[in-house]
Amino acid sequence: MHKNLIVSIAASLLLILILLFYYSANKTLSTQTSMAIRHQAVFNGFQRLDQLMHNAAVTHPDLTRSPKTSPFFKLFITDSIEIARQLQQLRETAIDTQNLQTLAQLHSLIGQEVQWLLNSNVPDSILHHHGGQHLAALLQIDSLISKGTSRTAFLIGYRQQQIAREMTKVRSLIIGFVILSCALLIYTTAVSLKQHSKRKNKEQELTIVLNTISDGVMSVDTQWRYTFLNDAAMANHVGAKASIIGQPIWTVHPGLEESAFGQKYKEAISTGQMQEVEAFFAPLNSWFAARIYPSAEGLTVYYQDVTEKRKDADTMSRMLKEIKDYRFALDEASIVAITDQKGVISHANENFCRISGYTLEELIGKDHRIINSGYHTKEFIRNLWVTIANGKIWKGEMRNRAKDGTIYWVDTTIVPFLNEQGKPYQYIAIRADITQRKEAQERLLISERTYKTIASSIPGSVICLLDRDFRYMLIEGDMLEKLGYAKSDLLGKRAGEALPPDVFKEVEPQLNAVLEGRVMTREVIMNGFDIVSRYIPLKDANGEVDAIMTVAMDVTKLKQAQRDIGELNTNLERTIALRTEELRKSNEELESFSYSVSHDLRAPLRGIIGFSAVLKEEYGGQLDEEADRIIQIIQQSAGKMGQLIDDLLAFSRTGKQALQKSMLNTTALVEEVIQECSRQDLRQIVRWEIGELPKVNADLNTLRQVWSNLLSNAIKYSSTIESPCIQIGASRQANSWEFFVKDNGVGFDQKYKHKLFRVFQRLHDADEFEGTGVGLALVDRIITKHGGSIRGEGKPGEGACFTFSLPA
């Protein structure tokens, strides 16, 4: 095999060299041929130029007699132009240095002579001895063309020699290649025959080997027919080996084609790549693992029955999953670290990193001194190491320090892993964070001292602390024995165990409510004492209830006082009810009286008004001016009296009338009232400034009366100034809307504002501003009935502002 490889490499190198020589010769041949073709073009160009020059310089006698319009003359002109074109083409084609120099000289001479040839008759000029100089130039041109022609002919011959030499090389290379190919063909044929013989022997040996291995081996051709089966494969085939060989694999094993194995067989054929598959084959009720090797002849499959291994693997997989689940649960619930026998950390879980504040990289390779807080004694640490070094489990609580300096407590269990000699080779430390519990214990110790001090300073009380299991952790107070209990009967026991069943049944719902964060109160009479118990939740830093405090106090004297006060209150309530009923009757009688008075006054008032009108109408012409003035005063006074009675009736009805509330558009209501007020006094020109007004839930009729009174007053008390301005607005308060009406009128003195909302009280003379003194009292009653309030502020000469509120 090694020898064949060397021969193949040598043949390949020789073939590469021949191809390189052939490529070089072919490249040279191509170059020489290209240059020869170009020289031939130059040679033809020189000949063409020589012919053109001879034609241009011809001395034919007909030219002397030819007019300029004759064909000969035109030919002459054409030949002269073609000379210049041919000369330019030669200069672009020539590549030889000497030819380029010759063409440069020709370009100079012909450039001069062509100009002369175009402007004169050559034969005529020569015959009349005007062209001797030009004739010499033409001869020199002819000499240069001959020189170029000769040089080019030499170059063509040289290139042809080079081409012939290269062709000889190529023929030699081709002959050598043919000889080498024949020799290699003979050699490879002999080697192939020899290898075929060896392969036959190896196939026989391979068959013997394959029959001895435990894996099943089978081969199929491209038509899926069996070509080989080893002895192990026959365990999964029915019949003799000879009868199976040549049969299609799909016929021998129905269902194989649709199985995972059949799909992989086809994939190996289509891709030409080795395939692996492990699957369950239902017809044989077994698991098989197969490696499929494709070749040009078909497939070779190595397979083995892995049913038992599969069962073992499934068992192992379940065990590994359980271990993984255990580890996951452990990592989620605990702080885990693994160290070697010297205590160097080799593994730390995420919880360890989180609580310590160190990253995994900072912990690996360090020992636990990195989190040592210095709290525990050397004896404590020594006892820990002695325990685990002897292969025993150590349990205890440890106080550690995190990276940021904070302290945390952990409940620790250290388990040693022992080798075959029973010596620890590593340790696993499993910890639980108990910082909150330790802090709670510390707080409890402080609380115990505090609660004992409080209990001893409060006579007639009992203070208890219970944990979340209702276990008594602290009991202090002088009332405990008076209530029939002893501290030794309760301390350290659960309430359900220490208290009588009927008592615990009553307090258990309250204790459960306290665990939910609620404060509960219970009143009970025990052993003749009135006891008030307060159940209070005690919370940790996270707001979670971790303990319950109960405070029981003797309130017997207080309860007795309450009972005495209750009797007094009962008597007082009876008295108040009696007085209230009497007041109600008095109010009803007063309302009835005021209504009757106002109603009964209308009859004589109408008589006064009517008779005074008759008196003025019937006897007006017979009375003097003083009598007319007196009649007018009587009518005005009667009108005022009528208005006063109407206002008094309205004020009376307001106290009786029930409110019919609904959502009101205050803006629309105010604009409507403004229109009514404006119609009453058309002379008044008021500038209105109205802000945004909210909707309110109120009685329409009474609220209209409020706005009418306030706006009428604002117009009335602003009527004496030159530019009256009335502002209306609202603002939101906590639970109400506040409205205001502000004017720039005459105002009033603040010291009399307590009279504003009283009936018949006025701050201005009736001669100056008319009115009855009932309007603002009526407004106050309406606003109060709505659940609001009203106030007024003003200054003399600077206007007034009335503000009232309505519930929002």
Side-chain angles (χ1 to χ4, degrees):
M1 187 67 181
H2 183 65
K3 183 178 180 181
N4 291 339
L5 181 61
I6 294 175
V7 171
S8 298
I9 294 173
S12 299
L13 291 174
L14 185 58
L15 179 60
I16 291 171
L17 289 174
I18 292 172
L19 290 175
L20 288 175
F21 287 141
Y22 178 76
Y23 171 75
S24 177
N26 184 63
K27 186 176 180 181
T28 303
L29 184 62
S30 177
T31 302
Q32 296 296 338
T33 302
S34 176
M35 296 182 71
I37 292 171
R38 194 158 183 173
H39 290 325
Q40 185 65 47
V42 173
F43 182 79
N44 294 337
F46 273 119
Q47 287 186 332
R48 174 64 176 163
L49 182 62
D50 182 61
Q51 182 181 1
L52 291 172
M53 288 303 300
H54 278 78
N55 289 340
V58 69
T59 56
H60 197 284
D62 290 339
L63 292 175
T64 62
R65 296 189 298 273
S66 298
K68 291 185 177 181
T69 57
S70 67
F72 295 103
F73 186 79
K74 291 181 179 180
L75 175 64
F76 177 77
I77 295 297
T78 303
D79 290 342
S80 300
I81 294 174
E82 184 66 25
I83 289 170
R85 185 182 297 113
Q86 184 62 45
L87 180 59
Q88 181 62 29
Q89 185 176 354
L90 271 172
R91 296 188 68 187
E92 293 174 355
T93 307
I95 57 176
D96 181 64
T97 305
Q98 293 184 16
N99 278 343
L100 290 173
Q101 292 175 354
T102 301
L103 288 170
Q105 295 175 5
L106 283 171
H107 181 267
S108 176
L109 290 171
I110 292 175
Q112 299 172 5
E113 294 308 314
V114 167
Q115 185 67 25
W116 172 69
L117 290 172
L118 292 173
N119 297 319
S120 67
N121 189 305
V122 176
D124 180 60
S125 299
I126 296 173
L127 290 175
H128 291 82
H129 306 287
H130 296 301
Q133 180 183 354
H134 297 294
L135 182 60
L138 291 173
L139 291 174
Q140 187 178 359
I141 290 171
D142 183 65
S143 175
L144 289 170
I145 291 173
S146 299
K147 180 181 178 182
T149 304
S150 301
R151 174 63 180 174
T152 305
F154 167 76
L155 292 173
I156 291 172
Y158 174 75
R159 298 300 175 189
Q160 288 176 346
Q161 290 176 3
Q162 293 295 322
I163 290 171
R165 187 179 298 110
E166 293 301 325
M167 287 297 293
T168 302
K169 289 182 180 180
V170 171
R171 282 195 294 272
S172 299
L173 288 172
I174 292 173
I175 293 170
F177 179 71
V178 171
I179 293 172
L180 178 61
S181 298
C182 291
L184 288 175
L185 180 60
I186 294 170
Y187 176 79
T188 53
T189 301
V191 170
S192 179
L193 292 173
K194 186 176 181 180
Q195 288 179 346
H196 180 72
S197 176
K198 289 182 178 179
R199 187 163 55 250
K200 276 291 186 181
N201 295 332
K202 287 183 178 180
E203 286 179 356
Q204 293 177 357
E205 295 174 357
L206 181 60
T207 300
I208 296 171
V209 172
L210 291 177
N211 282 326
T212 60
I213 64 176
S214 59
D215 288 359
V217 182
M218 67 176 186
S219 297
V220 297
D221 59 16
T222 56
Q223 301 301 317
W224 304 105
R225 294 188 296 259
Y226 279 105
T227 58
F228 175 78
L229 285 165
N230 73 342
D231 294 341
M234 290 306 299
N236 307 114
H237 293 77
V238 179
K241 186 183 298 187
S243 63
I244 297 174
I245 299 298
Q247 294 290 325
I249 189 173
W250 315 128
T251 303
V252 175
H253 289 292
L256 179 63
E257 187 172 5
E258 292 78 17
S259 69
F261 298 98
Q263 298 300 320
K264 284 294 182 179
Y265 293 167
K266 293 178 180 179
E267 186 177 346
I269 288 291
S270 62
T271 62
Q273 296 179 351
M274 190 272 287
Q275 302 291 329
E276 289 185 315
V277 61
E278 183 174 324
F280 183 74
F281 188 53
L284 296 179
N285 194 30
S286 298
W287 283 85
F288 293 95
R291 296 187 305 279
I292 308 155
Y293 298 92
S295 65
E297 292 79 16
L299 294 176
T300 298
V301 182
Y302 293 81
Y303 70 92
Q304 60 180 181
D305 188 340
V306 294
T307 304
E308 294 301 323
K309 290 182 180 179
R310 187 75 182 207
K311 291 179 181 178
D312 295 341
D314 289 343
T315 303
M316 182 62 70
S317 177
R318 285 194 299 269
M319 293 175 63
L320 290 175
K321 185 178 184 307
E322 288 180 3
I323 294 172
K324 185 177 180 181
D325 291 342
Y326 293 152
R327 179 174 178 178
F328 175 77
L330 188 62
D331 281 338
E332 287 295 315
S334 304
I335 304 163
V336 181
I338 299 176
T339 66
D340 60 13
Q341 72 276 15
K342 295 181 180 179
V344 177
I345 300 172
S346 59
H347 170 77
N349 71 344
E350 185 177 349
N351 286 336
F352 194 169
C353 297
R354 178 185 53 78
I355 195 170
S356 68
Y358 291 98
T359 64
L360 185 61
E361 292 75 12
E362 291 173 325
L363 292 173
I364 299 299
K366 304 292 191 304
D367 57 30
H368 279 78
R369 283 179 292 183
I370 193 173
I371 56 173
N372 186 9
S373 65
Y375 175 82
H376 300 288
T377 63
K378 293 182 179 179
E379 183 180 357
F380 177 89
I381 301 299
R382 188 182 306 108
N383 177 62
L384 184 155
W385 274 105
V386 169
T387 302
I388 62 176
N390 289 324
K392 297 179 182 178
I393 298 174
W394 183 89
K395 294 182 179 181
E397 296 178 353
M398 300 193 71
R399 185 176 187 265
N400 294 331
R401 186 187 302 276
K403 182 178 179 179
D404 61 1
T406 58
I407 299 299
Y408 64 94
W409 282 87
V410 287
D411 186 5
T412 305
T413 300
I414 302 177
V415 180
F417 287 8
L418 308 179
N419 56 20
E420 292 80 0
Q421 290 76 34
K423 299 295 184 181
Y425 65 91
Q426 70 177 14
Y427 304 101
I428 180 168
I430 303 172
R431 303 177 176 90
D433 184 5
I434 57 171
T435 305
Q436 293 183 359
R437 177 162 64 82
K438 296 295 287 188
E439 291 175 351
Q441 290 176 354
E442 291 178 3
R443 290 196 303 271
L444 185 58
L445 291 175
I446 297 173
S447 300
E448 285 183 1
R449 293 191 293 270
T450 303
Y451 296 147
K452 286 180 180 179
T453 302
I454 294 172
S456 61
S457 63
I458 303 177
S461 67
V462 177
I463 296 179
C464 302
L465 286 183
L466 296 86
D467 62 14
R468 291 186 60 87
D469 295 327
F470 306 149
R471 191 185 306 276
Y472 286 98
M473 299 182 293
L474 171 70
I475 302 174
E476 291 294 333
D478 59 358
M479 278 300 296
L480 184 64
E481 294 182 358
K482 294 179 182 180
L483 296 177
Y485 294 101
K487 184 184 295 187
S488 58
D489 296 335
L490 300 177
L491 200 60
K493 296 180 181 179
R494 294 182 178 179
E497 301 170 352
L499 298 178
D502 56 336
V503 175
F504 180 72
K505 185 177 180 180
E506 292 180 8
V507 301
E508 183 180 17
Q510 296 174 329
L511 292 174
N512 288 325
V514 175
L515 288 181
E516 295 175 0
R518 289 186 286 171
V519 177
M520 305 299 292
T521 302
R522 177 172 177 260
E523 295 185 10
V524 66
I525 297 177
M526 296 180 65
N527 291 351
F529 295 98
D530 287 300
I531 303 298
V532 175
S533 298
R534 190 81 164 174
Y535 300 83
I536 304 168
L538 302 180
K539 299 180 179 181
D540 57 18
N542 298 323
E544 299 293 332
V545 177
D546 59 359
I548 299 172
M549 180 176 72
T550 67
V551 180
M553 296 188 66
D554 177 16
V555 293
T556 304
K557 293 181 180 180
L558 179 63
K559 283 294 183 179
Q560 184 60 45
Q562 287 180 345
R563 284 189 285 269
D564 294 340
I565 292 172
E567 292 179 3
L568 292 174
N569 287 337
T570 301
N571 295 330
L572 182 61
E573 285 175 359
R574 292 195 192 99
T575 304
I576 291 173
L578 181 62
R579 296 292 184 267
T580 302
E581 181 63 21
E582 292 175 354
L583 181 62
R584 184 186 64 79
K585 290 180 179 180
S586 297
N587 286 335
E588 288 180 354
E589 292 174 358
L590 181 62
E591 293 287 343
S592 176
F593 172 75
S594 63
Y595 180 78
S596 299
V597 169
S598 60
H599 185 271
D600 294 341
L601 286 175
R602 284 184 177 278
L605 189 61
R606 283 194 296 269
I608 294 171
I609 294 172
F611 284 120
S612 63
V614 171
L615 182 63
K616 185 175 182 179
E617 182 178 352
E618 295 292 336
Y619 302 98
Q622 303 176 19
L623 300 175
D624 57 13
E625 293 181 359
E626 179 64 19
D628 288 339
R629 187 182 68 81
I630 292 172
I631 292 172
Q632 185 177 0
I633 291 173
I634 292 171
Q635 288 179 333
Q636 290 176 350
S637 298
K640 289 181 180 179
M641 185 64 181
Q643 181 64 43
L644 183 62
I645 292 172
D646 290 340
D647 291 346
L648 186 61
L649 287 174
F651 184 77
S652 176
R653 284 194 298 270
T654 302
K656 298 178 181 179
Q657 187 177 358
L659 299 178
Q660 302 293 328
K661 291 186 178 181
S662 62
M663 290 304 298
L664 302 180
N665 187 332
T666 309
T667 301
L669 178 60
V670 169
E671 290 177 352
E672 183 180 337
V673 173
I674 289 174
Q675 292 296 325
E676 293 176 358
C677 292
S678 298
R679 284 198 297 270
Q680 294 174 7
D681 188 358
L682 298 177
R683 296 170 301 168
Q684 189 67 27
I685 302 174
V686 178
R687 179 164 58 89
W688 298 90
E689 294 182 1
I690 304 174
E692 185 176 354
L693 303 177
K695 292 182 178 181
V696 294
N697 187 26
D699 180 74
L700 175 61
N701 293 327
T702 56
L703 190 62
R704 183 196 300 275
Q705 203 164 5
V706 169
W707 283 108
S708 179
N709 278 313
L710 293 178
L711 295 180
S712 297
N713 283 349
I715 293 173
K716 179 169 63 178
Y717 293 111
S718 301
S719 61
T720 59
I721 67 173
E722 184 176 352
S723 301
C725 176
I726 299 176
Q727 299 176 341
I728 302 172
S731 62
R732 177 63 187 263
Q733 303 302 317
N735 298 309
S736 64
W737 285 104
E738 278 200 354
F739 299 87
F740 68 87
V741 177
K742 183 178 182 181
D743 62 68
N744 59 347
V746 297
F748 60 86
D749 195 337
Q750 280 288 104
K751 67 181 180 180
Y752 300 117
K753 70 176 183 178
H754 62 281
K755 296 183 177 182
L756 284 174
F757 304 106
R758 295 181 183 178
V759 181
F760 305 133
Q761 296 290 328
R762 305 187 72 242
L763 302 185
H764 298 280
D765 293 337
D767 296 338
E768 186 179 2
F769 297 102
E770 62 181 14
T772 61
V774 179
L776 288 179
L778 182 62
V779 169
D780 179 61
R781 173 170 284 196
I782 293 171
I783 295 300
T784 302
K785 197 168 184 179
H786 275 82
S789 62
I790 186 169
R791 66 182 184 275
E793 297 177 354
K795 288 184 179 180
E798 297 183 10
C801 179
F802 286 88
T803 303
F804 66 91
S805 64
L806 292 174

